[in-house]
Short mmCIF file of all heavy atoms in Angstrom, two decimals:
data_model
loop_
_atom_site.label_atom_id
_atom_site.label_comp_id
_atom_site.label_asym_id
_atom_site.label_seq_id
_atom_site.Cartn_x
_atom_site.Cartn_y
_atom_site.Cartn_z
N GLN A 24 107.18 155.89 15.24
CA GLN A 24 107.48 157.30 15.02
C GLN A 24 108.34 157.49 13.78
O GLN A 24 108.12 158.42 12.99
CB GLN A 24 108.19 157.87 16.25
CG GLN A 24 108.50 159.36 16.17
CD GLN A 24 107.24 160.21 16.01
OE1 GLN A 24 106.28 160.04 16.73
NE2 GLN A 24 107.25 161.11 15.03
N ILE A 25 109.33 156.61 13.58
CA ILE A 25 110.17 156.70 12.37
C ILE A 25 109.32 156.47 11.12
O ILE A 25 109.47 157.18 10.11
CB ILE A 25 111.31 155.68 12.46
CG1 ILE A 25 112.26 156.03 13.63
CG2 ILE A 25 112.09 155.62 11.15
CD1 ILE A 25 113.34 155.00 13.87
N GLU A 26 108.41 155.50 11.16
CA GLU A 26 107.54 155.25 10.00
C GLU A 26 106.64 156.45 9.72
O GLU A 26 106.38 156.78 8.55
CB GLU A 26 106.71 153.99 10.26
CG GLU A 26 107.53 152.70 10.31
CD GLU A 26 106.71 151.51 10.74
OE1 GLU A 26 105.52 151.72 11.11
OE2 GLU A 26 107.22 150.37 10.72
N THR A 27 106.15 157.08 10.76
CA THR A 27 105.34 158.29 10.56
C THR A 27 106.15 159.39 9.88
O THR A 27 105.65 160.09 8.97
CB THR A 27 104.81 158.78 11.91
OG1 THR A 27 104.02 157.73 12.52
CG2 THR A 27 103.94 160.02 11.73
N ASN A 28 107.42 159.58 10.30
CA ASN A 28 108.28 160.59 9.66
C ASN A 28 108.49 160.29 8.18
O ASN A 28 108.45 161.19 7.34
CB ASN A 28 109.62 160.67 10.39
CG ASN A 28 109.48 161.14 11.83
OD1 ASN A 28 108.49 161.79 12.19
ND2 ASN A 28 110.46 160.81 12.66
N LEU A 29 108.71 159.03 7.84
CA LEU A 29 108.93 158.66 6.44
C LEU A 29 107.67 158.92 5.61
O LEU A 29 107.76 159.45 4.48
CB LEU A 29 109.32 157.18 6.35
CG LEU A 29 110.65 156.78 7.00
CD1 LEU A 29 110.85 155.26 6.92
CD2 LEU A 29 111.82 157.49 6.35
N ASN A 30 106.50 158.56 6.11
CA ASN A 30 105.26 158.79 5.36
C ASN A 30 104.98 160.27 5.19
O ASN A 30 104.46 160.70 4.14
CB ASN A 30 104.09 158.11 6.08
CG ASN A 30 104.13 156.58 5.94
OD1 ASN A 30 104.44 156.07 4.87
ND2 ASN A 30 103.84 155.88 7.02
N GLN A 31 105.33 161.08 6.19
CA GLN A 31 105.12 162.52 6.06
C GLN A 31 106.00 163.12 4.96
O GLN A 31 105.55 163.98 4.19
CB GLN A 31 105.40 163.21 7.39
CG GLN A 31 104.32 162.96 8.45
CD GLN A 31 104.64 163.63 9.77
OE1 GLN A 31 105.75 164.17 9.96
NE2 GLN A 31 103.69 163.60 10.70
N VAL A 32 107.24 162.63 4.85
CA VAL A 32 108.13 163.12 3.81
C VAL A 32 107.56 162.77 2.43
O VAL A 32 107.53 163.59 1.51
CB VAL A 32 109.54 162.55 3.99
CG1 VAL A 32 110.41 162.84 2.76
CG2 VAL A 32 110.19 163.12 5.24
N VAL A 33 107.09 161.53 2.26
CA VAL A 33 106.54 161.11 0.97
C VAL A 33 105.29 161.91 0.64
O VAL A 33 105.13 162.40 -0.50
CB VAL A 33 106.24 159.59 0.99
CG1 VAL A 33 105.50 159.18 -0.28
CG2 VAL A 33 107.52 158.79 1.14
N ASN A 34 104.41 162.10 1.59
CA ASN A 34 103.15 162.81 1.32
C ASN A 34 103.38 164.30 1.03
O ASN A 34 102.61 164.91 0.27
CB ASN A 34 102.21 162.65 2.52
CG ASN A 34 101.73 161.21 2.68
OD1 ASN A 34 101.65 160.46 1.70
ND2 ASN A 34 101.44 160.82 3.91
N ARG A 35 104.43 164.89 1.60
CA ARG A 35 104.69 166.31 1.33
C ARG A 35 105.46 166.50 0.02
O ARG A 35 105.27 167.50 -0.67
CB ARG A 35 105.48 166.92 2.48
CG ARG A 35 104.68 166.98 3.78
CD ARG A 35 105.32 167.91 4.77
NE ARG A 35 104.52 168.00 5.99
CZ ARG A 35 104.76 168.88 6.96
NH1 ARG A 35 105.78 169.74 6.84
NH2 ARG A 35 104.00 168.92 8.04
N ALA A 36 106.32 165.57 -0.32
CA ALA A 36 107.10 165.72 -1.55
C ALA A 36 106.28 165.37 -2.79
O ALA A 36 106.53 165.91 -3.88
CB ALA A 36 108.34 164.84 -1.49
N LEU A 37 105.28 164.51 -2.68
CA LEU A 37 104.51 164.04 -3.83
C LEU A 37 103.77 165.17 -4.54
O LEU A 37 103.91 165.33 -5.76
CB LEU A 37 103.54 162.93 -3.40
CG LEU A 37 102.65 162.35 -4.50
CD1 LEU A 37 103.51 161.70 -5.59
CD2 LEU A 37 101.66 161.35 -3.93
N PRO A 38 102.98 166.00 -3.86
CA PRO A 38 102.28 167.07 -4.61
C PRO A 38 103.23 168.11 -5.18
O PRO A 38 102.94 168.69 -6.25
CB PRO A 38 101.35 167.69 -3.54
CG PRO A 38 101.95 167.32 -2.24
CD PRO A 38 102.60 166.00 -2.44
N LEU A 39 104.36 168.31 -4.53
CA LEU A 39 105.32 169.28 -5.06
C LEU A 39 105.94 168.78 -6.36
O LEU A 39 106.09 169.53 -7.33
CB LEU A 39 106.41 169.55 -4.02
CG LEU A 39 105.92 170.18 -2.69
CD1 LEU A 39 107.08 170.30 -1.70
CD2 LEU A 39 105.30 171.55 -2.94
N ILE A 40 106.31 167.50 -6.40
CA ILE A 40 106.90 166.93 -7.62
C ILE A 40 105.87 166.84 -8.72
O ILE A 40 106.16 167.07 -9.91
CB ILE A 40 107.51 165.56 -7.30
CG1 ILE A 40 108.68 165.71 -6.31
CG2 ILE A 40 107.97 164.85 -8.57
CD1 ILE A 40 109.26 164.39 -5.85
N ASP A 41 104.60 166.50 -8.39
CA ASP A 41 103.56 166.39 -9.39
C ASP A 41 103.20 167.75 -9.99
O ASP A 41 102.86 167.84 -11.18
CB ASP A 41 102.32 165.76 -8.75
CG ASP A 41 101.27 165.38 -9.78
OD1 ASP A 41 101.63 165.26 -10.97
OD2 ASP A 41 100.10 165.21 -9.40
N ALA A 42 103.30 168.80 -9.20
CA ALA A 42 102.94 170.15 -9.69
C ALA A 42 104.07 170.81 -10.46
O ALA A 42 103.82 171.62 -11.36
CB ALA A 42 102.52 171.03 -8.51
N ASP A 43 105.31 170.50 -10.14
CA ASP A 43 106.46 171.16 -10.77
C ASP A 43 107.19 170.12 -11.62
O ASP A 43 107.76 169.15 -11.09
CB ASP A 43 107.40 171.73 -9.71
CG ASP A 43 108.46 172.64 -10.31
OD1 ASP A 43 108.58 172.67 -11.55
OD2 ASP A 43 109.18 173.29 -9.53
N GLU A 44 107.16 170.31 -12.95
CA GLU A 44 107.79 169.33 -13.84
C GLU A 44 109.31 169.35 -13.72
O GLU A 44 109.96 168.38 -14.12
CB GLU A 44 107.39 169.63 -15.29
CG GLU A 44 105.90 169.47 -15.56
CD GLU A 44 105.58 169.73 -17.01
OE1 GLU A 44 106.52 170.11 -17.75
OE2 GLU A 44 104.41 169.57 -17.40
N SER A 45 109.88 170.42 -13.18
CA SER A 45 111.33 170.47 -13.02
C SER A 45 111.81 169.63 -11.86
O SER A 45 113.00 169.32 -11.75
CB SER A 45 111.78 171.92 -12.83
OG SER A 45 111.21 172.47 -11.63
N LEU A 46 110.89 169.25 -10.99
CA LEU A 46 111.25 168.42 -9.84
C LEU A 46 110.98 166.95 -10.15
O LEU A 46 110.09 166.61 -10.94
CB LEU A 46 110.46 168.84 -8.60
CG LEU A 46 110.71 170.25 -8.06
CD1 LEU A 46 109.81 170.54 -6.87
CD2 LEU A 46 112.18 170.42 -7.66
N SER A 47 111.77 166.11 -9.50
CA SER A 47 111.59 164.65 -9.64
C SER A 47 111.99 164.00 -8.33
O SER A 47 112.55 164.64 -7.42
CB SER A 47 112.42 164.10 -10.80
OG SER A 47 113.79 164.23 -10.53
N SER A 48 111.70 162.71 -8.25
CA SER A 48 112.07 162.00 -7.03
C SER A 48 113.58 161.94 -6.84
O SER A 48 114.05 161.75 -5.72
CB SER A 48 111.49 160.58 -7.08
OG SER A 48 112.02 159.87 -8.20
N ALA A 49 114.35 162.13 -7.94
CA ALA A 49 115.81 162.09 -7.80
C ALA A 49 116.35 163.26 -7.00
O ALA A 49 117.47 163.21 -6.46
CB ALA A 49 116.46 162.06 -9.18
N SER A 50 115.54 164.33 -6.90
CA SER A 50 115.99 165.48 -6.11
C SER A 50 115.81 165.28 -4.62
O SER A 50 116.27 166.11 -3.81
CB SER A 50 115.22 166.73 -6.55
OG SER A 50 113.82 166.55 -6.33
N LEU A 51 115.13 164.19 -4.22
CA LEU A 51 114.93 163.89 -2.80
C LEU A 51 116.18 163.17 -2.29
O LEU A 51 116.55 162.10 -2.80
CB LEU A 51 113.69 163.03 -2.60
CG LEU A 51 113.33 162.66 -1.16
CD1 LEU A 51 113.08 163.90 -0.32
CD2 LEU A 51 112.13 161.73 -1.13
N GLU A 52 116.84 163.74 -1.30
CA GLU A 52 118.08 163.18 -0.77
C GLU A 52 118.01 163.08 0.74
O GLU A 52 117.17 163.72 1.40
CB GLU A 52 119.27 164.05 -1.18
CG GLU A 52 119.50 164.13 -2.69
CD GLU A 52 120.70 164.99 -3.03
OE1 GLU A 52 121.23 165.63 -2.09
OE2 GLU A 52 121.08 165.03 -4.22
N ILE A 53 118.89 162.24 1.29
CA ILE A 53 119.01 162.03 2.73
C ILE A 53 120.38 162.55 3.17
O ILE A 53 121.42 162.17 2.60
CB ILE A 53 118.85 160.55 3.11
CG1 ILE A 53 117.54 160.00 2.56
CG2 ILE A 53 118.91 160.38 4.62
CD1 ILE A 53 116.31 160.69 3.08
#
């Protein structure tokens, strides 16, 4: 279940960062 949560975060953040040049992986925080 924890691994599923991690993969969902990566899959949802990836298209947002790819579409918006102002966003980057550095903006992803825990």
Side-chain angles (χ1 to χ4, degrees):
Q24 183 60 49
I25 296 174
E26 292 173 354
T27 302
N28 296 337
L29 296 176
N30 287 319
Q31 287 179 352
V32 169
V33 173
N34 292 333
R35 293 196 178 189
L37 179 61
L39 297 175
I40 296 175
D41 190 20
D43 191 351
E44 296 182 356
S45 62
L46 296 177
S47 66
S48 61
S50 61
L51 181 60
E52 297 180 352
I53 305 299

